[in-house]
């Protein structure tokens, strides 16, 4: 049983397209996150949701729109994709504060 | 601002020890440590919540110096399975639920 699952694992698309990445966790955690890992391996937080409520929105272009239909799901929709959006996107979850994060396996997005 | 880790990379022989440092410019509430193997997701190792706290995990342990806003990860008697990139993650006071990851340390353990 996968704890945090993301789909798709790989995504290759052309500039200007719109794409979505889905994330689901079956751990009963109440907080979910999106992180972006660039080619230099830097992990940068994008968004955080707690019980479906957005609590962190870093300086991310508004082409990125997260949606949390319930506390087990956090999806990421990206409009008008750009070359610079190419990266690995990780979904993660945690249970309350002061606990470790469980990461999904990542989605490698390549914009051509 | 992103925590700074040192060294950036380290190569060890099996059985050797290593220390990875993490330094933040902000007052910290907690420090996390993660290991990421190539092509995989980061995996949680441990969290430190109190100043001076030390935690152990098999032969991997960590300390947290709240006053200096620093944490160190200690790997003793390294094994091949320890290879990967190690990240610290910090939560600043007043900004919990916002884990900022450090610059990363690539650790390679050779036979």
């Amino acid at each position: 049983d996968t704890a945090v699952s993301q789909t798709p694992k790989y995504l290759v698309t052309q500039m200007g397209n719109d794409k979505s990445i889905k994330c689901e966790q079956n751990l009963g955690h109440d907080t979910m996150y999106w992180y972006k890992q660039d080619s230099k391996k830097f992990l940068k937080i994008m968004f955080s949701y707690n019980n479906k409520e957005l609590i962190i929105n870093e300086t991310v272009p508004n082409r990125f729109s997260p949606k949390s239909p319930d506390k087990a799901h956090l999806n990421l929709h990206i409009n008008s994709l750009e070359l610079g959006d190419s990266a690995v996107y990780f979904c993660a979850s945690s249970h309350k504060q002061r606990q470790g994060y469980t990461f999904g396996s990542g989605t490698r997005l390549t914009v051509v | 601002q992103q925590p700074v880790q040192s060294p950036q990379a380290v190569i060890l022989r099996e059985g050797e020890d290593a220390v990875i440092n993490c330094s933040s410019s902000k007052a910290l509430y907690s420090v996390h440590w993660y290991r990421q193997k190539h092509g995989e997701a980061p995996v949680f190792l441990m969290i430190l919540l109190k100043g001076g706290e030390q935690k152990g995990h098999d032969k991997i342990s960590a300390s947290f110096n709240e006053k200096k806003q620093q944490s160190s990860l200690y790997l003793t008697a390294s094994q091949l399975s320890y290879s990967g990139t190690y990240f610290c993650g910090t939560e600043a006071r007043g900004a919990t639920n916002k884990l900022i990851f450090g610059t990363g340390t690539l650790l390679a353990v050779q036979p």
Side-chain angles (χ1 to χ4, degrees):
Chain A
D1 286 346
T2 305
V4 181
S5 59
Q6 288 180 235
T7 54
K9 190 167 176 65
Y10 299 96
L11 195 49
V12 181
T13 188
Q14 291 186 326
M15 278 195 305
N17 283 351
D18 304 338
K19 290 293 177 185
S20 291
I21 305 172
K22 294 186 176 182
C23 179
E24 176 182 3
Q25 55 97 0
N26 62 5
L27 297 167
H29 288 172
D30 50 13
T31 307
M32 296 185 72
Y33 313 83
W34 279 111
Y35 277 84
K36 178 181 179 180
Q37 187 168 43
D38 62 21
S39 57
K40 294 183 178 179
K41 302 297 184 186
F42 292 146
L43 272 162
K44 188 174 179 182
I45 188 167
M46 300 173 70
F47 302 102
S48 171
Y49 270 76
N50 182 269
N51 279 321
K52 303 191 298 176
E53 181 183 347
L54 180 67
I55 55 172
I56 293 172
N57 183 347
E58 287 295 279
T59 50
V60 177
N62 58 15
R63 298 181 295 103
F64 290 79
S65 53
K67 283 189 181 166
S68 182
D70 56 60
K71 77 173 196 176
H73 295 83
L74 179 61
N75 304 321
L76 183 66
H77 187 75
I78 315 169
N79 289 324
S80 304
L81 278 155
E82 301 177 356
L83 293 176
D85 297 332
S86 295
V88 180
Y89 292 84
F90 286 103
C91 175
S93 70
S94 69
H95 185 56
K96 301 180 182 177
Q97 296 179 9
R98 309 165 205 171
Q99 304 235 347
Y101 290 18
T102 302
F103 281 82
S105 57
T107 296
R108 180 173 293 277
L109 172 66
T110 304
V111 183
V112 297
Chain B
Q1 193 166 354
Q2 190 174 27
V4 177
Q5 290 182 229
S6 62
Q8 283 188 314
V10 58
I11 301 174
L12 299 174
R13 295 279 183 196
E14 265 187 300
E16 292 181 338
D17 303 340
V19 180
I20 300 172
N21 300 302
C22 173
S23 182
S24 173
S25 59
K26 298 186 175 183
L28 299 177
Y29 177 78
S30 73
V31 179
H32 297 216
W33 284 97
Y34 293 78
R35 176 171 60 214
Q36 184 179 28
K37 292 185 179 284
H38 182 69
E40 298 180 8
V43 174
F44 173 69
L45 296 176
M46 64 189 78
I47 182 172
L48 300 105
L49 293 169
K50 298 176 185 176
E53 184 176 25
Q54 290 194 347
K55 277 198 172 179
H57 188 283
D58 194 9
K59 294 180 180 175
I60 301 175
S61 61
S63 63
F64 178 19
N65 187 322
E66 198 174 357
K67 283 187 179 178
K68 291 187 177 180
Q69 297 160 190
Q70 293 174 344
S71 177
S72 295
L73 185 72
Y74 306 94
L75 301 105
T76 57
S78 59
Q79 305 167 18
L80 294 176
S81 61
Y82 286 5
S83 293
T85 301
Y86 288 78
F87 291 97
C88 66
T90 59
E91 284 181 303
R93 292 195 175 276
T96 52
N97 268 334
K98 183 177 176 180
L99 192 65
I100 307 297
F101 281 92
T103 48
T105 296
L106 179 62
L107 178 76
V109 181
Q110 297 179 341

